[in-house]
Amino acid sequence: MIILKGAPVSQKIQADILQELAGWNLRKIKFPHLSVILVGEDPASSIYVTRKEDMCKKLGFSSEIIRVSTGISQRELQNIIIDLNKNSSVDGILVQLPLPVSISAREVLETIDPLKDVDCLTEKNLGKILTGHPLVQPCTPSGVMEMLKHYNISVQGKNVAIIGRSLIVGVPLIHLLLKENASVSVFHSKSEKIESQLKNFDIVCVAVGKSHAFKYSQFKHDAVVIDVGINRSSKGLTGDVLNDMTEGKNHIKAATPVPGGVGVMTIAMLMKNTLALAKLRRNAYENLES
Ligand code: GUN
């Protein structure tokens, strides 16, 4: 079984970004700036946003984490976003999810200017995925696609299953896979008889957010298993698929590990998106100037 690690793919993306920024440096163009809003002190979310900030530093982007308490009202949160939308120094805005239940995540995300929506979670940017001409792509699904490409796993004509239909992963991933000519099936919590169908798929992307909900032996012999889950349990970080190196080793062809698989890619793709939106804004500015 081949282990599809995220680190080499992430490093390649980081190298590409650094190469592009070297050109920006020569032309004295201001490097990208990412603003991240963190509501509350959820330990997992705090770790994620710190990793995003660390990666920004590593690449030379400027960044800020705006930390607000869970008592913040939706209107106050939206006002912070409106100020960031107006701030010409800010290229990307990310609201770390989940938000407290008292706040409508959809309404908050819709406040973000689509041209600064580095997560690709506004309706406008999600809609652009359907037309095949997105400004940016959602970080985790595009990280999955980047990994498949890096490891030369072609999806064209393949039977690909997505298990999970979240707006952050499953739903956009359908479209990114379709664009690459995969034959896509989606399973979710209401799907019947999933077990009996799993062996039909060459590639399975699991994003259900439940530790060890599946095991390798349930998939087709020689399947590629992409585990998008990052679950915190007493065993540490675990995927949605049991990392079964005894039984699974001879059964499937390749799998992403957790940790060290798709999770690593999400941050790399966020950086790529921040650079892409910064570039768009710089180009628009240059066009106005000329
Ligand atoms: N929380 C967990 N994953 C994500 C993500 O990709 N984007 C945001 N904004 N919040 C998250």
Side-chain angles (χ1 to χ4, degrees), residues 36-40 42-49 52 77 81 93-100 103-110 112 117 119-122 126 166-169:
V36 177
I37 304 174
L38 174 64
V39 181
D42 173 64
S45 293
S46 297
I47 293 171
Y48 291 143
V49 299
K52 288 166 186 171
L77 184 54
I81 296 171
I93 303 169
L94 181 145
V95 178
Q96 185 66 28
L97 301 173
L99 291 175
I103 293 177
S104 160
R106 178 47 36 211
E107 286 176 20
V108 167
L109 292 171
E110 265 337 291
I112 300 173
D117 172 24
D119 242 353
C120 191
L121 287 177
T122 55
L126 279 170
S166 69
L167 208 55
I168 283 193
V169 184

Side-chain angles (χ1 to χ4, degrees), residues 37 39 65 72 77 95 101 133 155 179 207 238-239 242 247 251 257 263 268:
I37 304 174
V39 181
I65 302 178
I72 193 169
L77 184 54
V95 178
V101 285
H133 301 288
V155 300
K179 197 173 174 209
T238 54
L242 177 65
E247 193 186 355
H251 183 66

Side-chain angles (χ1 to χ4, degrees), residues 76-94:
E76 286 167 327
L77 184 54
Q78 286 173 303
N79 283 339
I80 293 174
I81 296 171
I82 290 166
D83 284 343
L84 294 172
N85 285 343
K86 286 188 210 147
N87 186 340
S88 61
S89 309
V90 174
D91 297 300
I93 303 169
L94 181 145

